[in-house]
Amino acid sequence: MVISFSLALLLGVVLVVMIRGGSIKWGPAIVAILFGFSLASTGAADPIRDFLESIGNSIGAVDDSISSVGPVDNPVDPTGP
C-alpha cells in the first residue's frame, strides 16, 4: 500500500508540473484523472495493481542485493604510482 500511495503522489506531482509547464492543458489533465478513477473501478484495476506491485518488489530486490554486497575495496593505490 505504501508503494501505491507513493506512486499516486509521484504521478500527481508529474501531472502538476506538466500543467504548469504547458505540456498539458487543464482539460486533458482532468480527462486523464477521471479516466484513472473510472479505470480503478473496472476489472483492469487488479492486474494493473499486481503489475505495479511486482515492479516495486523487483526494485526492492535489486536494492536489497546491492546493499548486501557491501563496500567494494578499491584495488588502485590512492597514493599514486
Coordinates of all heavy atoms in Angstrom, one line a residue:
M1 N 0.8 -1.2 0.0 CA 0.0 0.0 0.0 C 0.9 1.3 0.0 O 0.5 2.3 -0.6 CB -0.9 0.0 1.2 CG -2.0 1.0 1.1 SD -2.9 0.9 -0.4 CE -4.5 0.6 0.3
V2 N 2.0 1.2 0.6 CA 2.9 2.3 0.6 C 3.4 2.7 -0.8 O 3.4 3.8 -1.2 CB 4.2 2.0 1.5 CG1 5.2 3.1 1.4 CG2 3.7 1.9 3.0
I3 N 3.7 1.6 -1.6 CA 4.1 1.9 -3.0 C 3.0 2.5 -3.8 O 3.3 3.5 -4.5 CB 4.6 0.6 -3.6 CG1 5.9 0.1 -2.9 CG2 4.8 0.7 -5.1 CD1 6.4 -1.2 -3.4
S4 N 1.8 2.1 -3.7 CA 0.7 2.7 -4.5 C 0.5 4.1 -4.1 O 0.2 5.0 -4.9 CB -0.6 1.9 -4.3 OG -1.0 1.9 -3.0
F5 N 0.6 4.5 -2.8 CA 0.4 5.9 -2.4 C 1.6 6.7 -2.9 O 1.4 7.8 -3.4 CB 0.3 6.0 -0.8 CG 0.2 7.4 -0.4 CD1 -1.0 8.1 -0.5 CD2 1.3 8.0 0.2 CE1 -1.1 9.4 -0.1 CE2 1.1 9.4 0.6 CZ -0.1 10.0 0.5
S6 N 2.8 6.2 -2.8 CA 3.9 6.9 -3.3 C 3.8 7.1 -4.8 O 4.2 8.2 -5.3 CB 5.2 6.2 -3.0 OG 5.4 6.1 -1.6
L7 N 3.4 6.1 -5.5 CA 3.2 6.2 -7.0 C 2.1 7.2 -7.3 O 2.3 8.1 -8.2 CB 2.8 4.9 -7.6 CG 2.7 4.8 -9.1 CD1 4.0 5.2 -9.8 CD2 2.2 3.5 -9.5
A8 N 1.0 7.2 -6.6 CA 0.0 8.2 -6.8 C 0.5 9.6 -6.6 O 0.2 10.6 -7.3 CB -1.2 7.9 -5.9
L9 N 1.3 9.8 -5.5 CA 1.8 11.1 -5.2 C 2.8 11.5 -6.3 O 2.8 12.7 -6.8 CB 2.5 11.1 -3.9 CG 3.2 12.4 -3.4 CD1 2.1 13.4 -3.1 CD2 3.9 12.1 -2.1
L10 N 3.7 10.6 -6.7 CA 4.6 10.9 -7.8 C 3.9 11.3 -9.1 O 4.2 12.3 -9.7 CB 5.5 9.8 -8.1 CG 6.5 9.9 -9.2 CD1 7.5 11.0 -8.9 CD2 7.2 8.6 -9.5
L11 N 2.9 10.6 -9.5 CA 2.2 10.9 -10.7 C 1.4 12.2 -10.6 O 1.3 12.9 -11.5 CB 1.2 9.7 -11.1 CG 1.9 8.4 -11.5 CD1 0.9 7.3 -11.7 CD2 2.7 8.6 -12.8
G12 N 0.9 12.5 -9.4 CA 0.2 13.8 -9.2 C 1.2 14.9 -9.3 O 0.8 15.9 -9.9
V13 N 2.4 14.8 -8.8 CA 3.4 15.8 -8.9 C 3.8 16.0 -10.4 O 3.9 17.1 -10.9 CB 4.6 15.5 -8.0 CG1 5.8 16.4 -8.4 CG2 4.3 15.6 -6.6
V14 N 4.0 14.9 -11.1 CA 4.3 15.0 -12.5 C 3.2 15.7 -13.3 O 3.4 16.5 -14.2 CB 4.6 13.6 -13.1 CG1 4.7 13.6 -14.6 CG2 5.9 13.0 -12.5
L15 N 1.9 15.4 -13.0 CA 0.8 16.0 -13.6 C 0.8 17.5 -13.4 O 0.6 18.3 -14.3 CB -0.5 15.3 -13.2 CG -1.8 15.8 -13.9 CD1 -1.7 15.5 -15.4 CD2 -3.0 15.1 -13.3
V16 N 1.0 17.9 -12.2 CA 1.0 19.4 -11.8 C 2.2 20.0 -12.6 O 2.0 21.1 -13.1 CB 1.1 19.6 -10.3 CG1 1.5 21.0 -10.0 CG2 -0.1 19.1 -9.6
V17 N 3.3 19.4 -12.6 CA 4.5 20.0 -13.3 C 4.2 20.1 -14.8 O 4.5 21.1 -15.5 CB 5.8 19.2 -13.1 CG1 6.9 19.6 -14.0 CG2 6.2 19.3 -11.7
M18 N 3.5 19.1 -15.4 CA 3.2 19.2 -16.8 C 2.1 20.3 -17.1 O 2.2 20.9 -18.1 CB 2.7 17.8 -17.3 CG 3.7 16.8 -17.4 SD 3.1 15.1 -17.8 CE 2.7 15.5 -19.5
I19 N 1.2 20.4 -16.2 CA 0.2 21.5 -16.4 C 0.9 22.9 -16.3 O 0.6 23.7 -17.1 CB -0.9 21.4 -15.3 CG1 -1.8 20.1 -15.6 CG2 -1.8 22.6 -15.3 CD1 -2.8 19.8 -14.5
R20 N 1.7 23.1 -15.3 CA 2.3 24.4 -15.1 C 3.4 24.6 -16.2 O 3.6 25.8 -16.5 CB 3.0 24.4 -13.7 CG 1.9 24.4 -12.6 CD 2.4 24.8 -11.3 NE 3.3 25.9 -11.2 CZ 2.9 27.2 -10.8 NH1 1.6 27.4 -10.6 NH2 3.8 28.1 -10.8
G21 N 4.0 23.6 -16.7 CA 4.9 23.8 -17.8 C 4.3 24.0 -19.1 O 5.0 24.3 -20.1
G22 N 3.0 23.8 -19.3 CA 2.4 24.0 -20.5 C 2.4 22.7 -21.4 O 1.9 22.8 -22.5
S23 N 2.9 21.6 -20.9 CA 2.9 20.4 -21.7 C 1.5 19.8 -21.9 O 1.2 19.2 -22.9 CB 3.8 19.3 -21.1 OG 5.1 19.8 -20.8
I24 N 0.7 20.0 -20.9 CA -0.7 19.5 -20.9 C -1.6 20.6 -20.3 O -1.2 21.3 -19.4 CB -0.8 18.2 -20.1 CG1 -2.1 17.5 -20.3 CG2 -0.5 18.4 -18.7 CD1 -2.2 16.1 -19.7
K25 N -2.7 20.7 -20.9 CA -3.7 21.8 -20.5 C -4.6 21.2 -19.4 O -4.6 20.0 -19.2 CB -4.5 22.3 -21.7 CG -3.7 22.9 -22.8 CD -3.0 24.1 -22.3 CE -2.1 24.7 -23.4 NZ -1.1 25.7 -22.9
W26 N -5.4 22.0 -18.8 CA -6.3 21.6 -17.7 C -7.3 20.6 -18.2 O -7.6 19.6 -17.5 CB -7.0 22.8 -17.1 CG -6.1 23.5 -16.1 CD1 -5.4 24.6 -16.3 CD2 -5.7 23.1 -14.8 NE1 -4.6 25.0 -15.2 CE2 -4.8 24.0 -14.3 CE3 -6.1 22.0 -14.0 CZ2 -4.3 23.9 -13.0 CZ3 -5.6 21.9 -12.7 CH2 -4.7 22.9 -12.2
G27 N -7.9 20.8 -19.4 CA -8.9 19.9 -19.9 C -8.4 18.5 -20.0 O -9.1 17.5 -19.5
P28 N -7.3 18.2 -20.8 CA -6.8 16.8 -20.9 C -6.4 16.3 -19.6 O -6.5 15.1 -19.3 CB -5.7 17.0 -21.8 CG -5.9 18.2 -22.7 CD -6.7 19.1 -21.7
A29 N -5.9 17.1 -18.7 CA -5.5 16.6 -17.3 C -6.7 16.1 -16.5 O -6.6 15.1 -15.9 CB -4.8 17.7 -16.6
I30 N -7.8 16.9 -16.6 CA -9.0 16.4 -15.9 C -9.5 15.1 -16.5 O -10.0 14.2 -15.8 CB -10.0 17.5 -15.9 CG1 -9.5 18.7 -15.0 CG2 -11.4 17.0 -15.4 CD1 -10.4 19.9 -15.1
V31 N -9.5 15.0 -17.8 CA -9.9 13.8 -18.5 C -9.0 12.6 -18.1 O -9.5 11.5 -17.8 CB -9.9 14.0 -20.0 CG1 -10.1 12.6 -20.7 CG2 -11.0 15.0 -20.5
A32 N -7.7 12.8 -18.0 CA -6.8 11.8 -17.6 C -7.1 11.3 -16.1 O -7.1 10.2 -15.8 CB -5.4 12.2 -17.7
I33 N -7.4 12.3 -15.2 CA -7.7 12.0 -13.9 C -9.0 11.2 -13.8 O -9.1 10.2 -13.1 CB -7.8 13.3 -13.0 CG1 -6.4 13.9 -12.9 CG2 -8.4 13.0 -11.6 CD1 -6.4 15.3 -12.3
L34 N -10.0 11.6 -14.5 CA -11.3 10.9 -14.5 C -11.2 9.5 -15.1 O -11.8 8.6 -14.6 CB -12.4 11.7 -15.2 CG -12.8 13.0 -14.6 CD1 -13.7 13.8 -15.5 CD2 -13.4 12.8 -13.2
F35 N -10.3 9.4 -16.1 CA -10.1 8.1 -16.7 C -9.4 7.2 -15.7 O -9.8 6.0 -15.6 CB -9.2 8.2 -18.0 CG -8.8 6.9 -18.5 CD1 -9.7 6.1 -19.2 CD2 -7.5 6.4 -18.4 CE1 -9.3 4.9 -19.7 CE2 -7.1 5.2 -18.9 CZ -8.0 4.4 -19.6
G36 N -8.5 7.7 -14.9 CA -7.8 6.9 -13.9 C -8.8 6.4 -12.8 O -8.8 5.2 -12.4
F37 N -9.7 7.3 -12.4 CA -10.7 6.9 -11.4 C -11.7 5.9 -12.0 O -12.0 4.9 -11.3 CB -11.5 8.1 -10.9 CG -10.9 8.9 -9.9 CD1 -10.4 10.2 -10.1 CD2 -10.6 8.3 -8.6 CE1 -9.8 10.9 -9.1 CE2 -10.0 9.0 -7.6 CZ -9.6 10.3 -7.9
S38 N -12.1 6.0 -13.3 CA -13.0 5.0 -13.9 C -12.3 3.7 -14.1 O -12.9 2.7 -14.0 CB -13.6 5.6 -15.2 OG -12.6 5.8 -16.1
L39 N -11.0 3.8 -14.5 CA -10.3 2.5 -14.7 C -10.1 1.8 -13.4 O -10.1 0.5 -13.4 CB -8.9 2.9 -15.3 CG -8.0 1.7 -15.7 CD1 -8.7 1.0 -16.9 CD2 -6.7 2.2 -16.2
A40 N -10.0 2.5 -12.3 CA -9.8 1.8 -11.0 C -11.0 1.1 -10.6 O -10.9 0.1 -9.8 CB -9.5 2.9 -9.9
S41 N -12.2 1.4 -11.1 CA -13.4 0.7 -10.7 C -13.7 -0.5 -11.7 O -14.7 -1.1 -11.5 CB -14.6 1.6 -10.7 OG -14.8 2.2 -11.9
T42 N -12.9 -0.7 -12.7 CA -13.1 -1.8 -13.6 C -12.3 -3.1 -13.2 O -11.6 -3.1 -12.2 CB -12.7 -1.4 -15.0 OG1 -11.3 -1.2 -15.1 CG2 -13.4 -0.2 -15.5
G43 N -12.5 -4.1 -14.0 CA -11.7 -5.4 -13.7 C -10.3 -5.2 -14.0 O -9.5 -6.1 -13.7
A44 N -9.9 -4.2 -14.7 CA -8.5 -4.0 -15.1 C -7.6 -3.5 -13.9 O -6.4 -3.5 -13.9 CB -8.3 -3.0 -16.2
A45 N -8.3 -3.1 -12.8 CA -7.6 -2.5 -11.7 C -6.7 -3.5 -11.0 O -5.5 -3.2 -10.7 CB -8.6 -1.9 -10.7
D46 N -7.2 -4.7 -10.8 CA -6.3 -5.7 -10.1 C -5.1 -6.1 -10.9 O -4.0 -6.1 -10.3 CB -7.2 -7.0 -9.8 CG -8.2 -6.7 -8.7 OD1 -7.9 -5.8 -7.8 OD2 -9.2 -7.4 -8.6
P47 N -5.2 -6.4 -12.2 CA -3.9 -6.7 -12.9 C -3.0 -5.5 -13.0 O -1.7 -5.7 -12.9 CB -4.4 -7.1 -14.3 CG -5.8 -7.5 -14.2 CD -6.4 -6.7 -13.0
I48 N -3.5 -4.3 -13.1 CA -2.6 -3.2 -13.1 C -1.9 -3.0 -11.7 O -0.7 -2.8 -11.6 CB -3.4 -1.9 -13.4 CG1 -3.8 -1.9 -14.9 CG2 -2.5 -0.6 -13.2 CD1 -4.8 -0.8 -15.3
R49 N -2.7 -3.2 -10.6 CA -2.1 -3.1 -9.3 C -1.0 -4.2 -9.1 O 0.0 -3.9 -8.5 CB -3.2 -3.2 -8.3 CG -2.7 -3.0 -6.8 CD -3.8 -3.1 -5.8 NE -4.9 -2.1 -6.1 CZ -6.2 -2.5 -6.4 NH1 -6.5 -3.8 -6.5 NH2 -7.1 -1.6 -6.7
D50 N -1.3 -5.4 -9.6 CA -0.4 -6.5 -9.5 C 0.9 -6.2 -10.2 O 2.0 -6.5 -9.8 CB -1.0 -7.8 -9.9 CG -2.1 -8.3 -9.0 OD1 -2.2 -7.9 -7.9 OD2 -2.9 -9.2 -9.5
F51 N 0.8 -5.7 -11.4 CA 1.9 -5.3 -12.3 C 2.8 -4.3 -11.6 O 4.0 -4.4 -11.5 CB 1.4 -4.8 -13.6 CG 2.6 -4.3 -14.5 CD1 3.5 -5.2 -15.0 CD2 2.7 -3.0 -14.7 CE1 4.5 -4.7 -15.8 CE2 3.7 -2.5 -15.5 CZ 4.6 -3.3 -16.1
L52 N 2.2 -3.2 -11.1 CA 2.9 -2.2 -10.4 C 3.6 -2.7 -9.1 O 4.7 -2.3 -8.8 CB 2.0 -1.0 -10.1 CG 1.5 -0.2 -11.3 CD1 0.5 0.8 -10.9 CD2 2.7 0.4 -12.1
E53 N 2.9 -3.6 -8.4 CA 3.4 -4.2 -7.2 C 4.6 -5.1 -7.5 O 5.6 -5.1 -6.8 CB 2.4 -5.0 -6.5 CG 2.7 -5.4 -5.1 CD 1.5 -6.0 -4.3 OE1 0.5 -5.3 -4.3 OE2 1.7 -7.1 -3.8
S54 N 4.6 -5.8 -8.6 CA 5.7 -6.7 -9.0 C 6.9 -5.8 -9.4 O 8.0 -6.2 -9.1 CB 5.3 -7.6 -10.1 OG 5.1 -6.9 -11.3
I55 N 6.7 -4.7 -10.0 CA 7.8 -3.8 -10.3 C 8.4 -3.2 -9.1 O 9.6 -3.2 -8.9 CB 7.3 -2.6 -11.2 CG1 7.0 -3.1 -12.6 CG2 8.3 -1.5 -11.3 CD1 6.3 -2.1 -13.5
G56 N 7.5 -2.8 -8.1 CA 8.1 -2.4 -6.8 C 8.8 -3.4 -6.1 O 9.9 -3.1 -5.5
N57 N 8.4 -4.6 -6.1 CA 9.1 -5.7 -5.5 C 10.4 -6.0 -6.1 O 11.4 -6.3 -5.5 CB 8.3 -7.0 -5.4 CG 7.1 -6.9 -4.5 OD1 7.1 -6.1 -3.6 ND2 6.0 -7.7 -4.8
S58 N 10.5 -5.9 -7.5 CA 11.7 -6.1 -8.2 C 12.7 -5.0 -7.9 O 13.9 -5.3 -7.7 CB 11.4 -6.1 -9.7 OG 10.6 -7.1 -10.1
I59 N 12.3 -3.8 -7.8 CA 13.2 -2.7 -7.4 C 13.7 -2.9 -6.0 O 14.9 -2.7 -5.7 CB 12.4 -1.3 -7.6 CG1 12.2 -1.0 -9.0 CG2 13.3 -0.2 -6.9 CD1 11.3 0.2 -9.3
G60 N 12.8 -3.3 -5.1 CA 13.2 -3.6 -3.7 C 14.2 -4.7 -3.7 O 15.2 -4.7 -2.9
A61 N 14.1 -5.8 -4.5 CA 15.0 -6.9 -4.5 C 16.4 -6.4 -5.0 O 17.4 -6.9 -4.5 CB 14.5 -8.0 -5.4
V62 N 16.4 -5.6 -6.0 CA 17.7 -5.1 -6.6 C 18.3 -4.2 -5.5 O 19.6 -4.3 -5.3 CB 17.4 -4.3 -7.9 CG1 18.7 -3.5 -8.3 CG2 17.0 -5.2 -9.0
D63 N 17.6 -3.4 -4.8 CA 18.1 -2.6 -3.8 C 18.7 -3.4 -2.6 O 19.8 -3.1 -2.1 CB 17.1 -1.6 -3.2 CG 17.6 -0.7 -2.2 OD1 18.7 -0.1 -2.4 OD2 16.9 -0.5 -1.1
D64 N 18.0 -4.5 -2.3 CA 18.5 -5.4 -1.2 C 19.8 -6.1 -1.6 O 20.7 -6.2 -0.9 CB 17.4 -6.4 -0.8 CG 16.3 -5.8 -0.1 OD1 16.4 -4.7 0.4 OD2 15.2 -6.4 -0.1
S65 N 19.8 -6.5 -2.9 CA 21.0 -7.2 -3.4 C 22.2 -6.3 -3.5 O 23.4 -6.6 -3.2 CB 20.8 -7.9 -4.7 OG 20.6 -6.9 -5.7
I66 N 22.0 -5.0 -3.8 CA 23.1 -4.0 -3.9 C 23.6 -3.7 -2.5 O 24.8 -3.7 -2.2 CB 22.6 -2.7 -4.6 CG1 22.4 -3.0 -6.1 CG2 23.7 -1.6 -4.4 CD1 21.8 -1.9 -6.8
S67 N 22.7 -3.5 -1.5 CA 23.1 -3.2 -0.2 C 23.7 -4.3 0.6 O 24.5 -4.2 1.5 CB 21.9 -2.6 0.6 OG 20.9 -3.5 0.7
S68 N 23.4 -5.6 0.1 CA 24.0 -6.7 0.8 C 25.4 -7.0 0.4 O 26.2 -7.7 1.0 CB 23.1 -8.0 0.6 OG 23.2 -8.4 -0.8
V69 N 25.8 -6.4 -0.8 CA 27.2 -6.6 -1.3 C 28.2 -5.9 -0.4 O 29.3 -6.4 -0.1 CB 27.3 -6.2 -2.8 CG1 28.7 -6.1 -3.2 CG2 26.5 -7.0 -3.7
G70 N 27.8 -4.8 0.1 CA 28.7 -4.0 1.0 C 29.7 -3.2 0.2 O 29.7 -3.1 -1.1
P71 N 30.6 -2.5 0.9 CA 31.6 -1.7 0.2 C 32.6 -2.5 -0.6 O 32.9 -3.6 -0.3 CB 32.3 -0.9 1.3 CG 32.1 -1.8 2.5 CD 30.8 -2.5 2.3
V72 N 32.9 -2.0 -1.8 CA 33.9 -2.6 -2.7 C 35.3 -2.1 -2.4 O 35.4 -0.9 -2.4 CB 33.5 -2.4 -4.1 CG1 34.5 -3.1 -5.1 CG2 32.1 -3.0 -4.4
D73 N 36.2 -3.0 -2.2 CA 37.6 -2.5 -2.0 C 38.1 -1.9 -3.3 O 38.0 -2.5 -4.4 CB 38.5 -3.7 -1.5 CG 38.1 -4.1 -0.1 OD1 37.6 -3.3 0.6 OD2 38.3 -5.3 0.2
N74 N 38.9 -0.9 -3.2 CA 39.4 -0.2 -4.4 C 40.8 -0.8 -4.6 O 41.7 -0.5 -3.8 CB 39.5 1.3 -4.2 CG 39.8 2.0 -5.5 OD1 40.1 1.4 -6.5 ND2 39.8 3.3 -5.4
P75 N 41.1 -1.6 -5.7 CA 42.4 -2.2 -5.8 C 43.5 -1.1 -6.3 O 44.6 -1.4 -6.3 CB 42.2 -3.2 -6.9 CG 41.0 -2.7 -7.7 CD 40.1 -2.0 -6.7
V76 N 43.1 0.1 -6.7 CA 44.0 1.1 -7.1 C 44.6 1.7 -5.9 O 43.9 2.1 -4.9 CB 43.3 2.1 -8.0 CG1 44.3 3.2 -8.4 CG2 42.7 1.4 -9.2
D77 N 45.9 1.9 -5.9 CA 46.6 2.5 -4.8 C 46.3 4.1 -4.8 O 46.6 4.7 -5.8 CB 48.1 2.3 -5.0 CG 48.9 2.9 -3.8 OD1 48.3 3.1 -2.7 OD2 50.2 3.0 -3.9
P78 N 45.7 4.6 -3.7 CA 45.3 6.0 -3.7 C 46.5 7.0 -3.7 O 46.3 8.1 -3.9 CB 44.4 6.1 -2.5 CG 44.9 5.0 -1.6 CD 45.3 3.9 -2.5
T79 N 47.7 6.5 -3.3 CA 48.8 7.4 -3.2 C 49.5 7.6 -4.6 O 50.3 8.5 -4.7 CB 49.9 6.8 -2.3 OG1 50.3 5.5 -2.8 CG2 49.3 6.7 -0.9
G80 N 49.0 6.9 -5.6 CA 49.5 7.1 -7.0 C 50.6 6.1 -7.3 O 50.9 5.2 -6.6
P81 N 51.2 6.3 -8.5 CA 52.2 5.3 -9.0 C 53.5 5.4 -8.3 O 54.0 6.3 -7.7 CB 52.4 5.6 -10.5 CG 51.7 6.9 -10.7 CD 50.9 7.3 -9.5

